[in-house]
Amino acid sequence: MTMLTTDTVTRDALGVLQPGFTGVTAPDWLLRRLDEGLGSVALFARNIESPEQLAALTARLRDRSPRLIVAADEEGGDVTRLESRTGSSFPGNHALGAVDDPELTRAVARELGRRLRECGVNLNWAPSADVNSNPDNPVIGVRSFGSDPELVARHTAAYVEGLQQAGVAACTKHFPGHGDTAVDSHHDLPRIDADLNTLYARELVPFRAALAAGTKAVMSAHILLPAVDRALPATLSPAALNGLLRAPESLGGLGYQGLIATDAVEMRAITATYGIERGTVLALAAGADAICVGGNLADEATVLRLRDALVRAVHSGELPEERLADAAARVRALGEWVGSRSGAAEGIASDPGIGLAAARRALRVTRLAPYRAPEGPVYTAAFTPVANIAVGDETPWGVAAELRRLLPGTGTGTYRESDAAAHGLPALVANVLRSASDRRIVIVVRDVHRHRWMADALACLVAARPDSVVVEMGVPQAPPTGALHIATHGAARVCGRAAAEVIVGNGAGR
């Protein structure tokens, strides 16, 4: 039964939730809960139509709650909410890591933060500080700055600094590091069997740098690390949050005292074993301060369920009232910080070209045969893997749109593993060759090293048409192939534009 009390515990229970909602205007139920103490709101692509609409939405929310935290998952690159319909104007972490210029990373993050702040978003669930130590990782990949802990550390710090210079709080993720997983925590619970020495020397290095740079928040990961806790995933583990993250350095911790937010609590890594209500209580008890929810469960009933679960846990003694009060106080403190920084973006000059400039610098171009730019339309064959949930299916990627702009009449086809499974690989390759006719083929792949069907199709096409151009828009692990091979280190719209410029002869790359 829904509890109707309005005491401090109930207010604090609302205060620690970061819920989402549906629609591009604020629903009445959300406005009511803001009056009752809700401290944060989460925005997703479904809430955003344009910068003007988003600014009006966030202004409406803040009229009701001036110190409201408005959060979004705007990493740039492959993971964008502001530009989910068109693709991002900023390259992602892997491209910035490939350039390895921390000043560029700082400038990109500052411009991204400026745009977020103009729209009223003041907490960004970014950057990803994960070291991409497992190239087969299905969920991190180009969201990481790279596989070298020190490189990831210096760019994580630069990103935090740039974002927060614009008055947007950084939320460094996914603690204690999601880079060595082979499972997507949206679907199941990943396990990392690294020992403590490896953890300190690899995963924790970027998080130390983020804390030194002053990150305002840290996001926990739904991953199991037996070296830290044999039973509980990090989000629910006191050993991971109160121990590894918060404990003083003299006791082996990182000494962090700021806000800890959870990754989305409705992900199956939590709900399949603990359920959303139980998972929420355990996360708060373990040391988390803010519960992210609403990517899928975006309604008032979910907010009330979680609020009431926390109130019941306090009344039963399972969750100490002091722990809930401490978490709510940290949320309010972050709300005060973002409120005090409301004019920060106004002092930052707009730099609209920084994203494309960074994407151009990130290209790695390999010419394996004499190459002449096409004089007319080409055919783009996009080999498309299943998108992970963090990226989403709605965000366009590739080079086809840019090539159609530069080479009118260019055709395109999309090919998936299901096509190869249904019709056979030879039929898929024949389809591409038939569609291309006598045009140059531009083969666009994404993490080809992770997909056998894609690698086989690529090999057959390059053998049949050696003059093909290959564009790798994921992590470039496989050897270059084709007459011209371009590694973009990400699939953002600007990465596609930079690659298209090289294909038509207007860009050099590296």
Side-chain angles (χ1 to χ4, degrees):
M1 182 175 67
T2 300
M3 305 178 75
L4 300 177
T5 57
T6 56
D7 59 9
T8 301
V9 171
T10 304
R11 191 171 186 85
D12 284 348
L14 268 178
V16 301
L17 302 179
Q18 291 188 336
F21 60 95
T22 58
V24 296
T25 58
D28 289 341
W29 70 262
L30 184 65
L31 298 176
R32 290 196 304 273
R33 301 308 165 192
L34 292 177
D35 292 341
E36 296 171 6
L38 186 67
S40 309
V41 169
L43 298 178
F44 297 88
R46 62 176 180 246
N47 305 120
I48 301 171
E49 288 182 339
S50 69
E52 296 76 19
Q53 167 269 326
L54 179 57
L57 168 61
T58 57
R60 177 80 176 99
L61 295 172
R62 238 181 306 278
D63 282 346
R64 208 66 172 247
S65 179
R67 292 295 184 259
L68 182 68
I69 297 168
V70 180
D73 198 4
E74 183 59 45
E75 299 176 16
D78 290 31
V79 179
T80 178
R81 306 298 177 241
L82 291 184
E83 300 181 279
S84 64
R85 292 171 174 81
T86 61
S88 181
S89 301
F90 300 90
N93 284 4
H94 208 59
L96 295 171
V99 178
D100 196 13
D101 178 352
E103 286 302 320
L104 177 66
T105 296
R106 187 175 292 105
V108 167
R110 186 166 52 241
E111 174 64 14
L112 179 58
R114 188 192 65 79
R115 296 189 194 183
L116 285 169
R117 192 77 210 211
E118 280 191 343
C119 294
V121 177
N122 53 29
L123 172 64
N124 191 6
W125 291 321
S128 290
D130 310 289
V131 178
N132 198 48
S133 51
N134 182 350
D136 291 330
N137 194 311
V139 68
I140 300 300
V142 295
R143 300 168 68 195
S144 167
F145 289 109
S147 58
D148 173 29
E150 294 297 336
L151 179 146
V152 176
R154 58 180 171 266
H155 288 278
T156 296
Y159 196 106
V160 167
E161 292 164 356
L163 195 63
Q164 294 186 170
Q165 285 169 4
V168 175
C171 184
T172 305
K173 61 188 183 185
H174 306 81
F175 182 85
H178 212 310
D180 193 21
T181 60
V183 173
D184 185 342
S185 52
H186 291 90
H187 303 298
D188 206 346
L189 178 62
R191 175 186 174 116
I192 297 178
D193 287 312
D195 58 30
L196 280 176
N197 288 337
T198 300
L199 196 66
Y200 280 106
R202 189 177 65 189
E203 272 73 20
L204 297 184
V205 173
F207 287 97
R208 287 187 185 277
L211 302 193
T215 187
K216 291 296 177 180
V218 171
M219 177 177 281
S220 66
H222 306 329
I223 55 176
L224 185 67
L225 293 110
V228 177
D229 191 321
R230 293 183 177 277
L232 295 169
T235 293
L236 312 184
S237 169
L241 301 187
N242 271 331
L244 193 59
L245 183 52
R246 290 220 192 274
E249 293 191 32
S250 60
L251 299 178
L254 302 188
Y256 177 65
Q257 297 305 312
L259 183 136
I260 300 174
T262 70
D263 207 342
V265 77
E266 69 261 44
M267 290 162 62
R268 282 190 56 80
I270 299 298
T271 59
T273 302
Y274 304 96
I276 187 171
E277 295 174 32
R278 176 81 175 144
T280 295
V281 171
L282 289 175
L284 263 291
D289 304 304
I291 304 295
C292 172
V293 65
N296 298 318
L297 301 174
D299 53 42
E300 184 177 22
T302 298
V303 172
L304 297 181
R305 280 172 59 199
L306 299 187
R307 180 201 68 180
D308 294 349
L310 291 171
V311 172
R312 286 193 300 270
V314 169
H315 290 168
S316 71
E318 182 181 10
L319 176 63
E321 184 175 350
E322 297 77 9
R323 170 77 276 272
L324 179 61
D326 174 62
R330 282 198 177 91
V331 173
R332 288 191 290 270
L334 183 58
E336 290 294 328
W337 185 86
V338 296
S340 71
R341 301 284 292 161
S342 59
E346 297 172 5
I348 296 175
S350 173
D351 192 355
I354 188 69
L356 180 58
R360 287 167 174 160
R361 289 181 63 185
L363 295 182
R364 188 176 73 202
V365 178
T366 306
R367 292 172 174 81
L368 298 167
Y371 177 76
R372 290 182 61 187
E375 297 178 356
V378 298
Y379 182 77
T380 303
F383 291 100
T384 305
V386 176
N388 73 60
I389 292 176
V391 174
D393 291 324
E394 72 275 7
T395 304
W397 71 284
V399 300
E402 291 296 330
L403 286 174
R404 284 195 297 269
R405 181 178 64 84
L406 297 171
L407 299 172
T410 287
T412 186
T414 299
Y415 304 89
R416 296 180 171 85
E417 184 175 13
S418 57
D419 299 322
H423 307 293
L425 188 66
L428 185 152
V429 171
N431 187 358
V432 175
L433 294 172
R434 184 169 55 251
S435 299
S437 183
D438 58 350
R439 296 183 178 190
R440 183 81 59 83
I441 302 176
V442 177
I443 307 164
V444 187
V445 295
R446 197 167 176 175
D447 291 338
V448 69
H449 67 283
R450 293 183 49 235
H451 304 283
R452 179 62 183 270
W453 71 274
M454 193 185 296
D456 290 346
L458 174 62
C460 291
L461 282 172
V462 170
R465 295 286 296 274
D467 64 342
S468 296
V469 176
V470 178
V471 182
E472 167 61 86
M473 304 197 80
V475 178
Q477 290 286 313
T481 187
L484 178 71
H485 186 276
I486 305 171
T488 62
H489 300 92
R493 174 170 52 85
V494 287
C495 297
R497 179 173 174 181
E501 291 172 347
V502 173
I503 292 168
V504 302
N506 294 337
R510 292 193 298 147

